[in-house]
Amino acid sequence: MFERLRSGERVGGESDTDLHRAALRGNGEAMATLYRRHGPLVYRFTLRMSQNPSIAEEVTQEVFLALLRHTDRFDPSRSALSTWLCSIARNQLSKYFERNMRYQSVDEDEETFDPPSFEDSPALWLTRKEVVEAVRQGIDTLPVPLKEVLLLCEFEDMTYEQAAYILNVPIGTIRSRLHRAKLRLQPLLRPVATVTGKESPR
Amino acid sequence: MKHPENELDRVLYQLRREHQSIEAPSFLEESLVQKARLNAGSNKSLRWSWTREWAWGLGFVLLAIASTVTWWLSIHASSHPSQQIVAHPVPAALTPVIEQAATTSRSVPQGQTGARQITQTSSKPRRPAVQRPQAGDSLVATTSFLPLPVSEGLPEPLQQSVVRTRILTSSLSQYGLDVPASLQPQFVSAEFLVGEDGLPRAIRFVQ
């Protein structure tokens, strides 16, 4: 996956580093190319994490402005530009969450996750479409540390190494958080098993 | 039958496709392009500020070097007392006066015109202000010894000494030299030929 992302950086004939240098010299087209190349990734990540389009737009803009302002912080030998941009986006989001007291830690033993209950109306969840919707809502209600790992590793196809760089945690933490996130989502699939009469093994 | 974990992967795959279809807002692109163009100007000013800082730093270094050299020269100069003598050029207005004195007075013997040719025999302690010519002295005589008018009638000295001093041009009149009133008073370096009786006999100007 790392290789896939890196090879994707040369789409358009110019590397991210060349485009970055050109953008720093005032080349607007280079900046536009960088945004078209990495803007969706940053925007998707921030939109999923904040669940607020206006916040996602603001953070995305701040991330790309950081590319122009903090020219010495991006080191191409350490990370791909997409990874670096995601780490900036994550930091910006963390600041936002801290300001709004929404950031939750999952390091405590007692976790406060309450998945939607399907006991009252199992017929409502018969179709797979509804299960998908339930999982989507379940992802949105995950604690932030689990949610960001799931987004990066499952939705953005990033490697554990990339996710560890972005989140600034060890790779083992990424593995455990991803595992815990999936464990929390699994109860949402129970209606499918119930309808088909094949309960999942515990 | 599908294993729940596989079912979860299938659901996540579907959500992933949906997630990756999200596009970044296009209006941000225009905004960033404009900011990039504006940022080029701020980068130039940043480079100029760096240039200014370098210039200031270089200036301070040069100032420190100049101060060090000046200090070293002052220390070095103080170790050679003879160089503390400041020679002043003979005012041009004095030249005719001196020439006149030279023609109207008696001539000094040829053997007594050089300071280094005079034997020093006086055992009296000298005043601190008196400076004696030394080897390596950088002062150069601009005139030969000129007899002083006030020394006329004095007995010929058996022994003579050369006394270097700085004297005001206005004070030269007390030795019988005719100094124009229009001449601004200023210090000049001069050497007096002094007899064993302590009275000056002749003067010459040094530079």
Side-chain angles (χ1 to χ4, degrees):
Chain A
M1 273 182 265
F2 222 101
E3 290 302 318
R4 185 182 64 79
L5 286 173
R6 285 192 181 279
S7 63
E9 289 176 0
R10 296 196 69 84
V11 174
E14 290 187 70
S15 69
D16 283 346
T17 307
D18 294 337
L19 289 172
H20 184 209
R21 286 177 187 153
L24 289 177
R25 289 193 297 267
N27 188 331
E29 186 56 35
M31 190 65 194
T33 305
L34 280 175
Y35 179 73
R36 285 194 292 268
R37 192 177 287 178
H38 301 294
L41 166 68
V42 176
Y43 179 73
R44 284 194 305 258
F45 178 69
T46 53
L47 179 64
R48 278 286 186 177
M49 293 300 296
S50 65
Q51 301 176 39
N52 186 326
S54 61
I55 294 173
E57 290 163 5
E58 184 182 338
V59 171
T60 302
Q61 188 172 27
E62 281 300 314
V63 167
F64 279 89
L65 288 179
L67 197 60
L68 296 176
R69 290 174 187 152
H70 310 299
T71 58
D72 52 337
R73 292 189 190 173
F74 170 56
D75 183 3
S77 64
R78 286 192 61 206
S79 67
L81 184 64
S82 57
T83 310
W84 186 78
L85 289 172
C86 267
S87 68
I88 299 293
R90 196 254 181 180
N91 291 338
Q92 295 280 344
L93 281 171
S94 296
K95 289 178 186 173
Y96 172 79
F97 288 145
E98 284 170 7
R99 280 199 302 267
N100 294 274
M101 306 293 289
R102 288 182 52 189
Y103 195 85
Q104 302 172 27
S105 171
V106 292
D107 294 333
E108 295 85 7
D109 293 335
E110 186 179 351
E111 296 176 350
T112 57
F113 177 64
D114 187 17
S117 170
F118 308 101
E119 302 296 330
D120 295 337
S121 54
L124 191 64
W125 303 93
L126 288 178
T127 62
R128 295 193 186 282
K129 184 179 178 183
E130 289 164 336
V131 171
V132 169
E133 184 61 30
V135 173
R136 181 186 294 115
Q137 291 179 12
I139 291 172
D140 288 340
T141 56
L142 280 175
V144 170
L146 302 187
K147 183 178 176 182
E148 58 191 6
V149 169
L150 190 76
L151 284 178
L152 293 174
C153 295
E154 288 295 330
F155 286 8
E156 296 295 348
D157 283 341
M158 287 192 176
T159 62
Y160 292 159
E161 288 81 3
Q162 285 178 298
Y165 177 88
I166 293 170
L167 304 179
N168 198 24
V169 294
I171 292 176
T173 306
I174 298 294
R175 290 179 194 275
S176 67
R177 285 183 182 176
L178 184 60
H179 180 67
R180 289 158 68 185
K182 287 184 175 179
L183 278 180
R184 289 182 176 222
L185 294 176
Q186 273 186 2
L188 303 176
L189 304 171
R190 208 173 297 156
V192 176
T194 305
V195 167
T196 56
K198 295 165 184 175
E199 193 71 34
S200 63
R202 296 291 175 106
Chain B
M1 169 187 168
K2 279 195 173 184
H3 192 275
E5 191 170 336
N6 292 337
E7 181 67 20
L8 178 61
D9 287 341
R10 193 194 62 78
V11 172
L12 289 177
Y13 176 77
Q14 189 172 339
L15 288 174
R16 180 189 309 145
R17 286 198 307 175
E18 178 188 306
H19 174 80
Q20 292 188 345
S21 66
I22 298 173
E23 291 295 329
S26 57
F27 68 88
L28 282 182
E29 183 178 324
E30 276 301 313
S31 169
L32 289 171
V33 166
Q34 290 179 0
K35 294 259 172 73
R37 286 174 180 153
L38 289 174
N39 188 63
S42 64
N43 279 346
K44 282 178 187 172
S45 63
L46 184 64
R47 281 196 294 274
W48 274 114
S49 69
W50 285 0
T51 306
R52 279 198 298 271
E53 288 175 6
W54 273 102
W56 275 107
L58 186 63
F60 278 121
V61 169
L62 290 177
L63 186 63
I65 291 173
S67 303
T68 306
V69 169
T70 306
W71 171 80
W72 184 85
L73 285 177
S74 65
I75 295 295
H76 186 69
S78 65
S79 63
H80 297 82
S82 63
Q83 293 185 5
Q84 289 179 344
I85 299 170
V86 179
H88 295 268
V90 179
L94 260 185
T95 305
V97 177
I98 294 167
E99 286 175 351
Q100 181 188 1
T103 52
T104 56
S105 301
R106 66 188 188 281
S107 62
V108 177
Q110 198 68 13
Q112 298 176 357
T113 56
R116 293 176 184 82
Q117 297 170 351
I118 298 172
T119 307
Q120 301 295 327
T121 56
S122 174
S123 60
K124 293 179 182 177
R126 299 191 181 279
R127 292 177 296 176
V130 173
Q131 299 291 334
R132 298 187 59 195
Q134 296 178 0
D137 198 330
S138 61
L139 295 181
V140 178
T142 56
T143 63
S144 59
F145 273 101
L146 308 169
L148 293 172
V150 295
S151 65
E152 284 185 8
L154 293 175
E156 199 70 28
L158 300 176
Q159 294 176 348
Q160 299 180 85
S161 303
V162 175
V163 176
R164 180 178 295 171
T165 186
R166 292 177 62 217
I167 187 170
L168 270 173
T169 52
S170 57
S171 301
L172 291 174
S173 57
Q174 65 180 323
Y175 298 105
L177 296 175
D178 188 12
V179 181
S182 60
L183 185 66
Q184 290 292 325
Q186 59 178 306
F187 279 102
V188 293
S189 294
E191 289 178 344
F192 284 94
L193 205 57
V194 182
E196 72 273 18
D197 53 2
L199 297 174
R201 298 297 198 278
I203 187 173
R204 72 175 179 182
F205 297 96
V206 295
Q207 187 174 9

